[in-house]
Amino acid sequence: MELVSQIIFITELIGVIAFAVSGAMLGIEKKLDLFGVMVFAVTTACGGGVVRDILLGVIPPMMFRKSIYLMVALISSIAAFCLASVMGSFWAKHVDAYNCWMNFLDALGLGVFAATSVNTVMQLYPKSGVFMATFMGTITAVGGGAIRDTMANQIPLIFRKRIYAIAAIIGSVVHYYMMKAGVPAAASMFFCIGSIVVIRILAAYYRWNLPKAPEGEWLHEKDSKDMHK
């Protein structure tokens, strides 16, 4: 069990780095200063975990009890800030490569936090159902990004990006049932992470999207009528 805990801990740190860099890069794109970039990074990397811990009654949240998560997020954000300052012109010339790396980091963070959160729920509440485990896995994976996007004054990615939260839901469900079937936690966790990363990469490559309601003429007519009232 000690080995599994160490694997989960290392995996969580990888997820923190991935999400912190993703959040930092959005802060840089929004032309924030170093402090703003660090706030975006910490929010993205740790925000979902704080929400999960509060919902599960883990008070104070893990972020405040294990400072290593915060420190890793801060160091990652500073490194991303310095790297962007030095290599900004390089990435400007290789936008496609930059977008691929950002999508991969985002997918990796999504998978890691979904998987580790399902583990947390199963440890704290062994008799929990699939809904609780899936909800906590998904809210942890997307919560930090949603808070960050709200601070950036934009619609959260989970409501507009290709198969984003859906990937976390699928991975969490698979992870839950694999553990229930007796698959070792570490193997199940890595399968969950891998499946989420693959789904996100395929969704980005093939531009998979959930259907949206067509913006019909009646909406424009309604707006026109409202303006003339």
Side-chain angles (χ1 to χ4, degrees):
M1 190 65 182
E2 183 64 27
L3 178 61
V4 174
S5 298
Q6 291 178 355
I7 292 174
I8 292 174
F9 175 67
I10 294 172
T11 306
E12 284 180 330
L13 292 184
I14 294 173
V16 168
I17 293 171
F19 262 0
V21 172
S22 175
M25 296 311 294
L26 178 61
I28 293 170
E29 291 175 19
K30 293 294 183 179
K31 301 186 184 304
L32 303 183
D33 61 14
L34 177 58
F35 179 74
V37 169
M38 292 166 67
V39 170
F40 267 38
V42 172
T43 300
T44 309
C46 304
V50 171
V51 174
R52 175 203 63 202
D53 290 346
I54 292 174
L55 291 175
L56 290 177
V58 179
I59 305 296
M62 192 65 66
M63 169 185 168
F64 302 105
R65 289 188 288 135
K66 285 189 176 181
S67 59
I68 187 170
Y69 296 111
L70 177 62
M71 295 305 299
V72 168
L74 290 174
I75 292 171
S76 300
S77 66
I78 294 172
F81 185 88
C82 294
L83 191 62
S85 300
V86 174
M87 300 183 62
S89 58
F90 173 81
W91 289 119
K93 297 177 182 178
H94 301 83
V95 176
D96 290 339
Y98 169 80
N99 288 334
C100 286
W101 274 107
M102 286 300 101
N103 283 332
F104 174 75
L105 288 175
D106 201 48
L108 181 62
L110 194 73
V112 165
F113 283 112
T116 55
S117 291
V118 171
N119 280 344
T120 298
V121 172
M122 298 291 283
Q123 289 175 1
L124 293 177
Y125 302 97
K127 296 183 179 180
S128 61
V130 64
F131 175 76
M132 181 176 179
T134 302
F135 180 83
M136 291 301 172
T138 304
I139 200 66
T140 307
V142 305
I147 298 171
R148 174 206 63 201
D149 290 343
T150 302
M151 294 194 313
N153 195 30
Q154 62 185 28
I155 297 175
L157 290 177
I158 60 173
F159 302 128
R160 57 188 173 86
K161 197 170 185 178
R162 306 178 194 95
I163 314 299
Y164 194 78
I166 298 298
I169 292 172
I170 293 173
S172 297
V173 170
V174 170
H175 188 17
Y176 173 85
Y177 281 114
M178 287 183 69
M179 290 187 68
K180 283 293 186 180
V183 177
S188 178
M189 180 178 66
F190 285 119
F191 188 86
C192 170
I193 295 171
S195 63
I196 291 175
V197 170
V198 169
I199 291 172
R200 280 291 304 124
I201 290 176
L202 290 176
Y205 183 80
Y206 290 106
R207 298 186 177 277
W208 292 341
N209 289 292
L210 293 176
K212 298 179 181 179
E215 187 177 347
E217 292 297 325
W218 63 274
L219 286 174
H220 299 292
E221 292 175 2
K222 177 180 179 297
D223 291 340
S224 179
K225 290 178 181 179
D226 290 341
M227 289 178 64
H228 289 87
K229 282 184 180 180

